[in-house]
Amino acid sequence: MPASTLVHIFIVEDNAWYGELLEYRLAQNPDHHIRRFTTVQACLDNLGDKPDLITLDYSLPDGQGDQALKLIKERLPEVAVIVISGQEDVRTAIGLLHQGAYDYLVKDEETLDRLWNSVGNLRKQLLLRRENERLREQIGKKYDPQRAILGESQQIKQLFALIDKAGRANISVSISGETGTGKELVAKAIHFRSDRSSGPFVAVNVAAIPSELLESELFGHEKGAFTGAISRRVGRFEEANKGTLFLDEISELDLSLQAKLLRVLQEREVVRVGSNAPIAFDARLMVATHRDLNQEVKEGRFREDLYYRLLGLPIVLPPLRDRGHDILLLANSFLEDFCRQNSMAACTLSHAAQNLLLQYHFPGNVRELKAVVELAAVLAESDIIQPQDLSLRGERPGTAPLIVPGDDESLRGQTAAIVQRYLNTYNGNIVEVAAKLQIGKSTIYRMLQNKQILLP
């Protein structure tokens, strides 16, 4: 059976017959792994085995229940303890519950059934907690910078160092970089390396929300605060309590809301629209923008006092074109993931396709690279991606513009245009063009026969 479903139980009971009875009842669930002890000391000596639950007789030869509970909780605070006593004393029960006991049961004819129900409820909580921990661990691994952000360039190594520093401090972080460089990915990596990783990560794209709705989105509103406010809404600052709030495209925030955001950050409390009651919050703020915020301040579009409040630790993400062979690392990773997810044969990039990617300026950065290689995997006629399979936009030095599929020509037409350019460049040398493009000579002859291309 999976270890994640096992519940490790210690039964501490000096009455051998009653201990056997408790074990017999709890052992009816095969997921219960049970050990029995007759003294407090024997139990304490084995706490290194990390039981999930301890049933504790209140009166033991070497200690009373309150003393035993205190010793157990000092050594293993997270363990659940159910005290079983022969005395029906309300004050004793309340005192033990205040000390951290999970439950208090009196020995009578219903004890076994109550114990079974109590353990059942505890087991549900335990398995849910384990699942949450497993998911948090998976998410943490997913956003581990070394896993989530691929690259070996000097710029990426410097980025890893900044992410590590940001994860160890509670300072605000401002992330800047061109569109598609992975600003939200960096914010998540910082969050999951910080002591707030068990809290929520709440992301808001400021540019995607109409300005008249953004205040309610961020700070919340009360029922009836405005037309359409049919119920109370908790804002994103409250949602992010004990976690991280990530405001993307912060430069798009209008000046009136900038003033309100500044006050919220200074006071560390929000006031919902339609209310006067301040609500304290504890969230770390990270912001991102593709603009130069300092320039926005100079031109009067962004408040200087808010700029310095948000600046914190600035992280500038490099554009993909400046990352050298990181382009190929990312392209191969995207190809591998895409082919696996779509049950396709693994694809590789030809040398010519690799060179083409390295020469391209990638105005859309990593996001564009991902889209280009995934489309190439679909368009390629074999498991080797050729240059004509790469749908790039813009111009490269010494070549005519490459056209994105669906813009002006069909894919067939674009392929013909690429081959025609190479024929023009290499003076109609079909063998050389076929070698450069890594396609068959028969493909070029067929295109000539169909009059898709012409010899210069």
Side-chain angles (χ1 to χ4, degrees):
M1 64 188 66
S4 60
T5 64
L6 288 176
V7 178
H8 296 271
I9 302 174
F10 283 5
I11 294 175
V12 187
E13 169 64 59
D14 64 328
N15 184 313
W17 173 83
Y18 200 75
E20 289 178 6
L21 189 63
L22 295 177
E23 181 176 2
Y24 172 79
R25 183 68 175 100
L26 294 179
Q28 289 176 355
N29 187 327
D31 284 343
H32 292 168
H33 180 269
I34 302 169
R35 295 178 64 189
R36 282 172 46 203
F37 305 96
T38 57
T39 64
V40 175
Q41 191 58 51
C43 174
L44 295 175
D45 290 343
N46 287 274
L47 287 182
D49 293 339
K50 299 288 183 67
D52 301 303
L53 165 67
I54 297 174
T55 70
L56 180 66
D57 184 17
Y58 184 77
S59 298
L60 290 162
D62 57 344
Q64 291 291 94
D66 53 349
Q67 300 167 338
L69 177 62
K70 181 181 178 182
L71 292 171
I72 290 170
K73 283 292 186 178
E74 284 176 352
R75 300 192 188 187
L76 201 63
E78 65 273 19
V79 70
V81 179
I82 298 177
V83 179
I84 302 177
S85 173
Q87 304 177 27
E88 190 171 352
D89 185 340
V90 175
R91 286 179 299 179
T92 299
I94 293 174
L96 289 167
L97 293 173
H98 283 166
Q99 277 185 249
Y102 178 79
D103 203 352
Y104 180 91
L105 304 178
V106 177
K107 290 182 178 179
D108 58 23
E109 65 276 5
E110 297 179 358
T111 302
L112 295 181
D113 289 337
R114 288 202 299 269
L115 176 62
W116 179 262
N117 292 334
S118 186
V119 172
N121 291 332
L122 175 64
R123 184 173 184 276
K124 291 177 184 177
Q125 297 172 21
L126 178 65
L127 297 183
L128 181 61
R129 185 167 69 245
R130 286 178 182 171
E131 178 64 13
N132 288 338
E133 289 172 353
R134 186 186 67 81
L135 291 174
R136 279 201 299 271
E137 183 179 355
Q138 283 186 344
I139 293 171
K141 287 180 179 178
K142 179 179 179 181
Y143 292 108
D144 183 328
Q146 304 292 337
R147 294 171 180 246
I149 304 171
L150 293 179
E152 297 175 351
S153 61
Q154 189 60 37
Q155 297 97 319
I156 294 302
K157 291 178 181 177
Q158 292 171 355
L159 175 61
F160 289 159
L162 287 175
I163 289 173
D164 187 57
K165 290 178 180 179
R168 288 187 273 112
N170 201 36
I171 190 173
S172 298
V173 177
S174 55
I175 307 168
S176 59
E178 295 179 7
T179 299
T181 48
K183 294 184 285 292
E184 184 170 344
L185 188 63
V186 169
K188 287 181 177 177
I190 293 171
H191 169 76
F192 287 107
R193 285 181 72 82
S194 73
D195 58 5
R196 294 177 177 269
S197 59
S198 60
F201 178 89
V202 179
V204 181
N205 188 328
V206 172
I209 302 172
S211 57
E212 61 272 16
L213 299 179
L214 190 54
E215 181 177 3
S216 169
E217 183 77 16
L218 293 177
F219 310 137
H221 64 249
E222 296 292 341
K223 180 179 179 181
F226 50 82
T227 302
I230 59 175
S231 62
R232 169 184 288 179
R233 174 186 172 83
V234 172
R236 296 305 185 97
F237 273 89
E238 291 180 71
E239 286 182 17
N241 196 46
K242 303 299 182 183
T244 299
L245 177 63
F246 174 62
L247 299 181
D248 198 5
E249 299 299 351
I250 189 66
S251 59
E252 306 304 314
L253 194 66
D254 65 39
L255 286 169
S256 63
L257 268 180
Q258 289 178 29
K260 293 179 180 178
L261 176 60
L262 178 63
R263 181 202 163 279
V264 165
L265 297 179
Q266 288 173 338
E267 303 297 328
R268 305 300 296 177
E269 59 186 26
V270 296
V271 177
R272 293 179 185 147
V273 177
S275 172
N276 294 318
I279 301 170
F281 69 91
D282 174 21
R284 180 185 195 175
L285 187 67
M286 287 191 260
V287 300
T289 178
H290 70 283
R291 300 185 188 275
D292 183 344
L293 269 189
N294 190 33
Q295 187 62 33
E296 295 291 301
V297 170
K298 291 178 181 178
E299 296 179 8
R301 291 190 293 269
F302 204 84
R303 293 178 62 111
E304 185 175 21
D305 46 5
L306 180 58
Y307 168 73
Y308 287 112
R309 173 69 66 170
L310 295 176
L311 185 61
L313 174 64
I315 296 178
V316 181
L317 301 188
L320 183 58
R321 59 185 169 274
D322 292 344
R323 292 174 54 184
H325 279 76
D326 283 358
I327 293 172
L328 300 183
L329 284 176
L330 287 162
N332 289 323
S333 176
F334 292 147
L335 275 176
E336 181 182 346
D337 290 345
F338 183 78
C339 292
R340 184 180 64 253
Q341 292 166 8
N342 291 275
S343 301
M344 296 170 59
C347 290
T348 58
L349 292 160
S350 68
H351 290 302
Q354 292 180 31
N355 290 334
L356 185 57
L357 290 177
L358 289 173
Q359 294 170 28
Y360 184 59
H361 62 288
F362 284 103
N365 290 290
V366 178
R367 189 178 296 144
E368 182 181 6
L369 174 62
K370 186 173 188 291
V372 166
V373 298
E374 288 181 352
L375 178 59
V378 174
L379 298 180
E381 295 183 0
S382 71
D383 58 1
I384 299 178
I385 292 174
Q386 306 295 346
Q388 64 268 26
D389 301 321
L390 299 171
S391 302
L392 305 175
R393 60 191 173 107
E395 294 184 2
R396 293 180 291 114
T399 68
L402 295 173
I403 307 169
V404 177
D407 279 1
D408 300 308
E409 295 184 29
S410 67
L411 177 62
R412 185 180 178 186
Q414 293 170 65
T415 304
I418 293 170
V419 175
Q420 185 68 62
R421 285 200 300 275
Y422 273 75
L423 282 173
N424 295 340
T425 301
Y426 294 99
N427 298 314
N429 188 326
I430 293 174
V431 174
E432 191 169 2
V433 169
K436 292 289 183 182
L437 293 179
Q438 295 191 16
I439 60 175
K441 295 188 297 293
S442 59
T443 301
I444 299 178
Y445 286 126
R446 185 173 62 252
M447 295 173 73
L448 286 167
Q449 184 179 7
N450 294 336
K451 300 189 183 320
Q452 294 174 259
I453 56 175
L454 299 171
L455 287 174

